[in-house]
Amino acid sequence: MTVLRPEGAETPEPPPEERKSRWNTADLRRRVLIGAIVVWAVAITVLVAVRGGGDDGTPAATAPSAVPSASDAPLTVAQIYQTLTPSVVVIETTGHDSRDRAEAGSGTGVIANADGTVLTALHVVDGAETIELTYADGTKAAAKLRSEDPSRDIAMLTPEKLPETLVPAVLGGGAAVGDDVVAIGNPLGLVFSTTSGVVSGLNRKLNGDDGGQGIEGLIQFDAAVNPGNSGGPLINDRGQVIGIVIALANPSGAGTFIGIGFAVPIGAALGGTGEGDGQSPPL
């Protein structure tokens, strides 16, 4: 029989045994829930401790990203100078002119090989009776012409003596218009001078003194060079010799720098061939 209770009527309390059973069940559920929360909290704490997570969520064990090595980064002019100066030499020559009058000249060279071979401009040593090198450490040595390439105004010298510490230059590297470059040389007797600028043009051509074919494929640059720089290195911002300085352009013919210098690319200087009678005016 279904018993209908009037609205608002109180529900009679269950017997004590039933109330006790309900309390035991609720207490058990509460204890299980609290235990589960504790276990979950401990698990999260252990996980964070093991991973070492910080506020930014980055695990402590993550390896740092790679960074470029110092040798790959561009060098300052001061760093280039310090690196390349031990590879640069002062060249001094003596001889006689067509009237048998004594004459002397000077220029620059760069150590291009571990055997001490010096690369320079041919017109620096052309016709010289004596050639003397002065290394950065002050060591002096006589040298002889080893090979020459008149078509590129390039010569190689073999020294009779090497410095206590021989430092060949790093040769190579291309050139692009706008690239930073440094020149090291001995302009006007001011030994081991450095200047800086940029590559101004590529594949330039200089006519020979007699209007001949001249030299093609030259690097044009605006780092200041003057007589005495000839034969010296043109260097990029990685410390690589990218060319050998051979000439400057000056409409007045005075042989002083006005912002246009020329260098034979290092690849051509080391093995290029061609025809021509040199350039004008030489440094």
Side-chain angles (χ1 to χ4, degrees):
M1 177 183 297
T2 303
V3 178
L4 297 178
R5 295 188 179 87
E7 185 177 351
E10 294 183 0
T11 302
E13 292 189 6
E17 292 80 3
E18 184 177 347
R19 290 200 304 272
K20 183 176 182 181
S21 174
R22 290 180 181 177
W23 292 340
N24 290 341
T25 301
D27 183 62
L28 178 61
R29 289 176 179 174
R30 186 167 51 254
R31 290 170 183 261
V32 169
L33 179 60
I34 293 173
I37 292 173
V38 171
V39 170
W40 177 81
V42 170
I44 292 297
T45 302
V46 170
L47 179 61
V48 171
V50 170
R51 296 185 62 186
D55 292 339
D56 60 359
T58 303
T62 300
S65 59
V67 296
S69 64
S71 60
D72 293 332
L75 302 176
T76 66
V77 175
Q79 290 171 328
I80 294 171
Y81 179 78
Q82 293 168 0
T83 301
L84 268 294
T85 296
S87 304
V88 176
V89 300
V90 179
I91 300 176
E92 296 176 294
T93 64
T94 62
H96 291 80
D97 63 14
S98 59
R99 297 182 179 181
D100 201 32
R101 293 176 299 188
E103 61 180 4
S106 65
T108 306
V110 60
I111 302 171
N113 196 298
D115 65 3
T117 297
V118 171
L119 194 61
T120 188
L122 176 58
H123 71 260
V124 171
V125 296
D126 192 26
E129 297 171 11
T130 67
I131 303 172
E132 184 178 67
L133 310 180
T134 302
Y135 297 95
D137 66 356
T139 300
K140 293 182 180 293
K144 294 181 179 180
L145 183 63
R146 173 177 173 178
S147 64
E148 59 183 86
D149 180 2
S151 68
R152 297 292 182 184
D153 192 20
I154 292 295
M156 291 188 181
L157 309 178
T158 299
E160 295 181 358
K161 178 182 178 182
L162 300 179
E164 183 175 347
T165 302
L166 184 71
V167 184
V170 177
L171 309 180
V177 174
D179 283 353
D180 293 328
V181 289
V182 169
I184 300 177
N186 310 297
L188 306 176
L190 302 172
V191 299
F192 301 107
S193 297
T194 188
T195 55
S196 63
V198 299
V199 173
S200 304
L202 298 173
N203 297 316
R204 300 306 196 199
K205 178 181 178 180
L206 290 177
N207 292 325
D209 289 334
D210 58 0
Q213 182 176 352
I215 303 176
E216 299 179 346
L218 299 175
I219 301 170
Q220 177 190 339
F221 61 92
D222 69 354
V225 289
N226 284 285
N229 273 105
S230 199
L234 185 69
I235 310 150
N236 65 14
D237 63 4
R238 295 316 200 264
Q240 299 171 308
V241 176
I242 63 171
I244 299 299
V245 177
I246 63 166
L248 56 84
N250 193 317
S252 71
T256 54
F257 187 67
I258 62 169
I260 304 176
F262 298 98
V264 176
I266 193 63
L270 294 174
T273 59
E275 298 177 358
D277 299 314
Q279 68 296 313
S280 177
L283 300 183

